[in-house]
Amino acid sequence: MTTSTWTRHHILSLADFVPEEYNTVLQTAASFREVLSRRVKKVPTLQGQVVANLFFESSTRTRSSFELAAKRLSADTINFAPSTSSLTKGETILDTAKTYLAMGADMMVIRHKEAGVPQAIAQEMDRLGVRVGILNAGDGQHEHPSQGLLDLFTICSVLNATNPNLELLADKKIAIVGDILHSRVARSNIWSLTASGAEVHLAAPPTLVPQLFTHFGTNRPGKLFLHWEIEPALQDADFVMTLRLQKERMTQHLLPSLREYHQRYGITRDRLKLCKPGVKILHPGPANRGVEISSDLMDDPELSLIPQQVTNGVAVRMALLYLMGSGKA
Amino acid sequence: MTTSTWTRHHILSLADFVPEEYNTVLQTAASFREVLSRRVKKVPTLQGQVVANLFFESSTRTRSSFELAAKRLSADTINFAPSTSSLTKGETILDTAKTYLAMGADMMVIRHKEAGVPQAIAQEMDRLGVRVGILNAGDGQHEHPSQGLLDLFTICSVLNATNPNLELLADKKIAIVGDILHSRVARSNIWSLTASGAEVHLAAPPTLVPQLFTHFGTNRPGKLFLHWEIEPALQDADFVMTLRLQKERMTQHLLPSLREYHQRYGITRDRLKLCKPGVKILHPGPANRGVEISSDLMDDPELSLIPQQVTNGVAVRMALLYLMGSGKA
Amino acid sequence: MTTSTWTRHHILSLADFVPEEYNTVLQTAASFREVLSRRVKKVPTLQGQVVANLFFESSTRTRSSFELAAKRLSADTINFAPSTSSLTKGETILDTAKTYLAMGADMMVIRHKEAGVPQAIAQEMDRLGVRVGILNAGDGQHEHPSQGLLDLFTICSVLNATNPNLELLADKKIAIVGDILHSRVARSNIWSLTASGAEVHLAAPPTLVPQLFTHFGTNRPGKLFLHWEIEPALQDADFVMTLRLQKERMTQHLLPSLREYHQRYGITRDRLKLCKPGVKILHPGPANRGVEISSDLMDDPELSLIPQQVTNGVAVRMALLYLMGSGKA
């Protein structure tokens, strides 16, 4: 599959992504990353098109990343801010989306605290027979596909910067540590990493990971393992992904204390000795320094891929907007 | 009158619009609607000019519509958000407007919860002898001229898509149903529709429409009628415009209940049988589904003009910004 | 020094600005002010570059001024709004800045209620070896260098519009009246004006100015004087700068009442008789009319430089972004 044969108009979930689609995203993102290294970091690809960012749930980094991606493709952007919105006036979410459709949005990037909202909007757009592209920028605890793809792109780029592709992960071990249960990032990453053939090891307190996660690995090249201790997950890992711990998990009595969490599941320099030499750390951000990861590791350029994740996020989102848009020609 | 003879620098009210002005707006909007159907929905008309959106009262759709209209004319836009403003520091509204003037705004789009604010700013600009254009985007319960013009454009476009003009309405009957008393949309529409020669029939509970509305029809080609029941307004109507019901009218004891309101004044498929065959419905949005209009009617593409109103809103606002700007050359 | 020899990548404080730097800013701003008088107020200087406005403390006019300056240099802008930010999630300020760095921001304009934040971010950027420019848009009660430079530019432009330069102020007397103690504007202005050789006279109630301000004048061409009465400061002044009075100073028991403050320190037409003929008034805005300045003076185009300050603010900020960016080539 090349960009000319891309057929997906919406990007809602990674559950049904096929390897050719992953590889097209990886290759397209690699070419856009090259654009971002130029002085004039802009291409005319989406000139005259409109990308509407409908963030019903607020976000700094994801909204900014999509906005920059759109602007670097020369699209016009429009931001929907829920606090100044008609939502307080009782308008339904579908009516809001249809309003931006009627205003001429070519693509909508949608975040909502409830799972399924982007899918519902995409279904409505398809029912109306319009070719607007819907991109899920995080829906409840369900999925965050652009984050899953940028993490995949970041990992593959470590292994081969000029030709990142899914096959590079076939024999790799990747640990995902933390609040798996509530993490849409973890869900999207599990889909992409098991599609690549990697071994994915989840580690979390029993209260923060459900047994049913093992179903993710069925019928996929990779394998999924679940641990209640961090050590077996880190053992010989090539990459460690640690997740943000929402502090409200304490008040929900899912965790005893931040300090105990750090002691048992925090990524520290000492624990990394279990991993393969050259191990790299990822974090979707924003991080709680000293909770899910010790502060010095975050700032260690030999170990941390965090800045690359952010940079690659813009390149991957440019690729997604480009691919969704190119399907319309 | 053509665009080359347009003289109005501010668009504050439709009360004194003359037929030639309406027709110039309708024709200019029709040409911009054609631009919006292209893949590259952008023209260089206002390149290097600045449109400041000063929304002292928050709004999703109107602000987005003006922002998109400005961007599609290649203007730079700047948004003034009241919550992050100096207003909390006690600056007067006129000082805020003069600040944006001094920063180089060529046009200002102003919404305020008090009637008369855009007019006051326009007067101050004229007193200073500057050629900045002021556009009223809704002032209290007074007027919302761009909404009135986009509704007119939408109705005329149904009757003649390629040549929408005021004369098309000469023998039409248009019903406006709902909270007329508090509606700036209704006020602006009454001016434009009675200017066209149409018969305009208002229907509202006695608490939500004042008798003094009949003065709007004096000395105008059209006629204005007032009803306390919905049936005589709908009888043989060509177009039905229903207004948003602010739910706070209940707590103000102006209405008994939403259910009773819907029973007596809600637009339903059954009630539409009173109208002419081919009747079309308008709503300025956002709608309370099941209150002022039954939900299924909103989604019926044969009956509802709501999506067209939103699309035409961008085209009409492009036309207004263009006409105000062209007067400066 | 010309623009080709400008070396400063960050603009954090005016304390160590040298006369050649002031003059380069003044000359560059003069050329950009000429651009702003054109119909197409835009140059392609920063095409494809990104200016991130990180306003941890909210602001209308400064944020809008920087945003317009960036857009008129054809940069893309991205706004960080604290209320919709990850700050509520506990991310550190440095992590936020590093996120925008990784997204590709070429320059960051930073405002924070704590003194020293922009400096801390600049140090971190230098430690990382990256060439992103940091511009202090106001940090606590410390400094607001772009305001100091626009005030300097405004004063010098009165004396010589086509060739504003520092030497024009050598024999001038400038009064700064008001809440010196809490004013970052006053601090930045004291650095620039004493660098020019002007006599700077501060006047404030004893509770609103510290004796230690006299240290600002050490080893500089100009002289700094401190008064507890307004009259000696105004006597024969060429320019009078009055500062915004924060009304919370009352509740802090630093002032008896607004009325008494106006009587003793307010700028009035009567008091201006003490000044040189042709005296001009500056105010950084937003003003409390009738408190620090009488309302009629603000609107007197013969006396007030307030609109020029706002216009010059855009030109000076264009100059600063241009100079910071040109150092990267």
Side-chain angles (χ1 to χ4, degrees):
Chain A
M1 175 181 284
T2 65
T3 61
S4 63
T5 56
W6 182 269
T7 57
R8 202 181 278 268
H9 293 115
H10 309 304
I11 294 174
L12 301 170
S13 161
L14 298 185
D16 61 349
F17 254 57
V18 295
E20 291 75 15
E21 289 178 304
Y22 284 114
N23 282 327
T24 301
V25 171
L26 294 172
Q27 288 153 25
T28 311
S31 72
F32 281 123
R33 187 169 51 194
E34 188 274 320
V35 170
L36 296 182
S37 67
R38 300 180 198 162
R39 183 169 164 83
V40 176
K41 294 178 273 275
K42 208 157 177 165
V43 287
T45 314
L46 296 185
Q47 170 77 18
Q49 295 202 37
V50 171
V51 176
N53 292 311
L54 308 190
F55 275 63
F56 297 95
E57 180 184 87
S58 70
S59 159
T60 300
R61 63 174 66 210
T62 307
R63 198 261 308 149
S64 290
S65 182
F66 273 109
E67 194 175 336
L68 276 174
K71 285 180 172 173
R72 282 165 166 183
L73 294 168
S74 300
D76 287 317
T77 60
I78 191 120
N79 289 318
F80 169 86
S83 62
T84 59
S85 83
S86 297
L87 285 191
T88 53
K89 298 184 192 168
E91 190 178 40
T92 74
I93 290 163
L94 285 182
D95 284 342
T96 301
K98 281 190 270 190
T99 297
Y100 281 90
L101 169 69
M103 283 186 200
D106 297 282
M107 284 173 257
M108 298 186 201
V109 177
I110 295 173
R111 170 169 285 199
H112 198 283
K113 69 176 196 293
E114 300 292 338
V117 166
Q119 290 78 358
I121 292 173
Q123 279 176 9
E124 179 69 7
M125 296 296 146
D126 292 344
R127 194 187 65 77
L128 294 171
V130 292
R131 290 286 291 273
V132 66
I134 305 297
L135 203 158
N136 177 3
D139 62 325
Q141 300 172 6
H142 175 232
E143 280 225 42
H144 190 357
S146 65
Q147 180 76 41
L149 292 167
L150 77 89
D151 289 339
L152 181 71
F153 181 55
T154 302
I155 291 174
C156 292
S157 295
V158 168
L159 301 169
N160 187 332
T162 54
N163 183 20
N165 64 81
L166 208 59
E167 293 70 36
L168 295 164
L169 297 188
D171 58 348
K172 301 299 176 191
K173 174 172 175 179
I174 298 161
I176 304 180
V177 181
D179 183 0
I180 312 279
L181 179 62
H182 301 90
S183 175
R184 55 193 175 206
V185 174
R187 273 171 185 71
S188 288
N189 270 298
I190 290 168
W191 289 122
S192 60
L193 296 172
T194 55
S196 76
E199 268 194 14
V200 180
H201 289 252
L202 311 177
T207 51
L208 293 181
V209 64
Q211 283 294 345
L212 60 85
F213 262 79
T214 49
H215 88 91
F216 273 83
T218 320
N219 299 325
R220 300 178 80 80
K223 289 199 172 60
L224 188 67
F225 301 88
L226 178 58
H227 309 278
W228 290 353
E229 307 290 334
I230 191 172
E231 287 76 11
L234 295 190
Q235 189 68 50
D236 296 318
D238 297 279
F239 295 92
V240 176
M241 187 178 299
T242 175
L243 301 172
R244 175 178 178 75
L245 187 75
Q246 306 289 341
K247 290 178 181 171
E248 55 267 36
R249 303 298 169 232
M250 305 304 122
T251 53
Q252 295 163 333
H253 306 296
L254 294 173
L255 283 178
S257 76
L258 291 180
R259 187 167 149 275
E260 190 169 329
Y261 181 83
H262 184 67
Q263 280 183 338
R264 292 200 53 198
Y265 297 96
I267 307 298
T268 61
R269 202 171 288 273
D270 212 45
R271 282 216 166 98
L272 289 181
K273 291 176 186 159
L274 293 169
C275 304
K276 284 237 187 76
V279 65
K280 302 286 182 188
I281 310 168
L282 297 97
H283 189 297
N288 295 303
R289 288 172 173 265
V291 181
E292 65 262 17
I293 182 167
S294 66
S295 191
D296 66 305
L297 290 183
M298 276 191 69
D299 300 326
D300 186 331
E302 291 300 309
L303 288 168
S304 165
L305 294 174
I306 296 173
Q308 288 93 316
Q309 287 175 280
V310 177
T311 303
N312 290 335
V314 179
V316 164
R317 284 160 183 140
M318 288 173 79
L320 297 179
L321 294 174
Y322 167 72
L323 289 168
M324 290 163 68
S326 69
K328 297 182 65 179
Chain B
M1 176 181 285
T2 65
T3 62
S4 62
T5 54
W6 182 269
T7 57
R8 201 180 279 267
H9 294 114
H10 309 304
I11 295 174
L12 302 170
S13 161
L14 298 185
D16 61 348
F17 255 56
V18 295
E20 290 75 14
E21 290 178 303
Y22 284 114
N23 282 328
T24 301
V25 171
L26 294 172
Q27 288 152 26
T28 310
S31 72
F32 281 123
R33 186 169 52 193
E34 188 275 320
V35 169
L36 296 183
S37 66
R38 299 180 199 163
R39 183 170 163 84
V40 176
K41 296 179 271 274
K42 209 157 177 165
V43 287
T45 315
L46 295 185
Q47 170 77 20
Q49 295 203 37
V50 171
V51 175
N53 291 312
L54 308 188
F55 275 63
F56 297 94
E57 181 184 85
S58 70
S59 159
T60 300
R61 63 175 64 211
T62 306
R63 199 261 308 148
S64 291
S65 181
F66 273 109
E67 194 175 336
L68 276 174
K71 286 181 171 171
R72 284 169 164 178
L73 295 167
S74 299
D76 287 318
T77 59
I78 191 121
N79 289 319
F80 168 86
S83 62
T84 59
S85 84
S86 295
L87 286 191
T88 54
K89 298 184 189 166
E91 188 178 41
T92 73
I93 289 164
L94 285 183
D95 284 342
T96 300
K98 282 191 269 188
T99 297
Y100 281 89
L101 168 69
M103 283 185 199
D106 297 282
M107 284 173 258
M108 297 186 202
V109 176
I110 296 172
R111 170 169 285 199
H112 198 283
K113 70 177 195 293
E114 300 293 337
V117 166
Q119 291 76 358
I121 292 173
Q123 279 176 10
E124 180 68 7
M125 297 295 147
D126 292 344
R127 195 188 64 77
L128 294 171
V130 292
R131 291 285 290 272
V132 66
I134 305 297
L135 202 159
N136 178 4
D139 63 325
Q141 299 172 5
H142 177 231
E143 278 225 43
H144 191 356
S146 65
Q147 180 76 40
L149 292 166
L150 77 88
D151 289 338
L152 181 70
F153 181 55
T154 302
I155 291 173
C156 291
S157 295
V158 168
L159 300 169
N160 186 334
T162 54
N163 182 22
N165 65 79
L166 209 58
E167 293 70 37
L168 296 163
L169 298 187
D171 58 349
K172 301 299 175 190
K173 173 172 175 179
I174 297 161
I176 304 180
V177 181
D179 183 1
I180 312 279
L181 179 63
H182 300 92
S183 173
R184 54 194 176 206
V185 174
R187 274 173 183 69
S188 288
N189 270 297
I190 291 167
W191 288 122
S192 60
L193 295 171
T194 55
S196 76
E199 268 195 14
V200 180
H201 290 253
L202 311 177
T207 50
L208 293 181
V209 63
Q211 284 293 345
L212 60 83
F213 262 80
T214 49
H215 87 89
F216 274 83
T218 320
N219 299 324
R220 300 178 81 81
K223 288 200 171 60
L224 188 67
F225 301 88
L226 178 57
H227 310 279
W228 290 353
E229 307 289 335
I230 191 172
E231 287 76 12
L234 296 190
Q235 189 68 49
D236 296 317
D238 297 279
F239 295 91
V240 176
M241 187 179 296
T242 174
L243 301 172
R244 175 179 177 75
L245 186 75
Q246 306 290 339
K247 290 180 179 170
E248 56 266 36
R249 303 297 170 236
M250 304 304 123
T251 54
Q252 295 163 335
H253 306 296
L254 294 173
L255 283 179
S257 77
L258 291 181
R259 187 166 149 276
E260 190 169 331
Y261 180 82
H262 183 65
Q263 281 185 335
R264 292 200 55 198
Y265 298 96
I267 307 299
T268 61
R269 204 171 286 274
D270 212 47
R271 281 214 168 99
L272 288 182
K273 291 175 186 161
L274 293 168
C275 304
K276 282 236 188 76
V279 65
K280 302 286 184 188
I281 310 169
L282 297 97
H283 189 299
N288 295 303
R289 288 170 174 265
V291 180
E292 66 262 16
I293 182 168
S294 66
S295 191
D296 65 306
L297 291 184
M298 276 190 69
D299 300 326
D300 185 333
E302 292 300 309
L303 287 168
S304 166
L305 294 175
I306 296 173
Q308 288 93 317
Q309 286 176 282
V310 177
T311 303
N312 289 335
V314 178
V316 164
R317 284 161 182 139
M318 288 174 78
L320 297 178
L321 295 174
Y322 166 73
L323 289 168
M324 289 163 68
S326 69
K328 297 182 66 180
Chain C
M1 175 181 286
T2 65
T3 62
S4 62
T5 55
W6 182 269
T7 58
R8 201 180 280 266
H9 294 114
H10 308 303
I11 295 174
L12 302 170
S13 161
L14 298 185
D16 60 350
F17 253 57
V18 296
E20 291 76 13
E21 290 178 303
Y22 283 115
N23 283 328
T24 301
V25 171
L26 294 172
Q27 288 152 26
T28 310
S31 72
F32 281 123
R33 186 168 52 194
E34 189 274 320
V35 170
L36 296 183
S37 67
R38 300 180 199 163
R39 182 169 165 85
V40 176
K41 295 178 272 272
K42 209 158 177 165
V43 288
T45 314
L46 296 185
Q47 169 78 17
Q49 295 203 37
V50 170
V51 176
N53 292 311
L54 308 189
F55 276 63
F56 298 94
E57 181 184 85
S58 70
S59 159
T60 300
R61 63 174 66 211
T62 307
R63 198 262 307 150
S64 290
S65 183
F66 273 109
E67 194 176 337
L68 276 175
K71 286 180 171 172
R72 283 167 165 181
L73 294 167
S74 300
D76 287 317
T77 59
I78 191 120
N79 289 319
F80 169 86
S83 61
T84 60
S85 86
S86 295
L87 286 190
T88 54
K89 299 184 189 167
E91 189 178 41
T92 73
I93 290 164
L94 284 183
D95 284 341
T96 301
K98 281 191 271 190
T99 297
Y100 282 90
L101 169 68
M103 282 185 201
D106 298 282
M107 285 174 256
M108 296 185 202
V109 177
I110 295 172
R111 170 168 286 199
H112 200 282
K113 69 176 196 291
E114 300 293 337
V117 166
Q119 291 77 359
I121 292 174
Q123 279 177 10
E124 180 68 8
M125 296 296 147
D126 292 345
R127 194 187 66 76
L128 294 171
V130 292
R131 291 287 290 272
V132 67
I134 304 298
L135 202 159
N136 178 3
D139 63 325
Q141 300 173 5
H142 176 230
E143 279 225 42
H144 191 357
S146 65
Q147 180 76 40
L149 291 167
L150 79 87
D151 289 339
L152 181 71
F153 181 56
T154 302
I155 292 173
C156 291
S157 295
V158 168
L159 300 169
N160 187 334
T162 55
N163 183 22
N165 64 80
L166 210 58
E167 293 70 37
L168 296 165
L169 298 188
D171 59 348
K172 301 300 175 190
K173 174 172 175 178
I174 298 161
I176 304 180
V177 181
D179 182 1
I180 312 280
L181 179 62
H182 300 91
S183 173
R184 55 194 176 204
V185 175
R187 274 172 184 69
S188 289
N189 270 298
I190 290 167
W191 288 122
S192 60
L193 296 171
T194 56
S196 77
E199 270 194 13
V200 180
H201 290 253
L202 310 177
T207 50
L208 293 181
V209 63
Q211 283 293 345
L212 60 85
F213 261 81
T214 50
H215 88 91
F216 273 83
T218 321
N219 298 325
R220 298 178 81 81
K223 288 200 173 60
L224 188 66
F225 301 88
L226 178 57
H227 309 279
W228 290 353
E229 307 288 336
I230 192 172
E231 287 76 12
L234 296 190
Q235 189 68 50
D236 297 318
D238 297 279
F239 295 92
V240 176
M241 187 179 298
T242 174
L243 301 172
R244 175 177 178 75
L245 186 75
Q246 305 290 340
K247 289 178 180 171
E248 56 266 36
R249 303 297 171 234
M250 304 303 122
T251 53
Q252 295 163 333
H253 305 296
L254 294 172
L255 283 179
S257 76
L258 292 180
R259 188 167 149 275
E260 190 168 330
Y261 180 82
H262 183 66
Q263 281 183 338
R264 291 199 54 196
Y265 298 97
I267 307 298
T268 60
R269 204 170 286 275
D270 213 46
R271 283 215 165 98
L272 288 181
K273 292 175 186 160
L274 293 168
C275 304
K276 283 237 187 75
V279 65
K280 301 286 183 188
I281 310 170
L282 296 96
H283 189 298
N288 295 303
R289 288 171 174 265
V291 181
E292 66 263 15
I293 182 168
S294 65
S295 190
D296 66 306
L297 291 183
M298 276 190 70
D299 300 326
D300 185 332
E302 291 300 309
L303 288 167
S304 165
L305 295 175
I306 295 173
Q308 288 93 317
Q309 287 176 280
V310 177
T311 303
N312 289 335
V314 178
V316 164
R317 284 161 183 140
M318 287 174 78
L320 297 179
L321 294 174
Y322 166 72
L323 290 168
M324 290 163 69
S326 69
K328 297 182 66 179

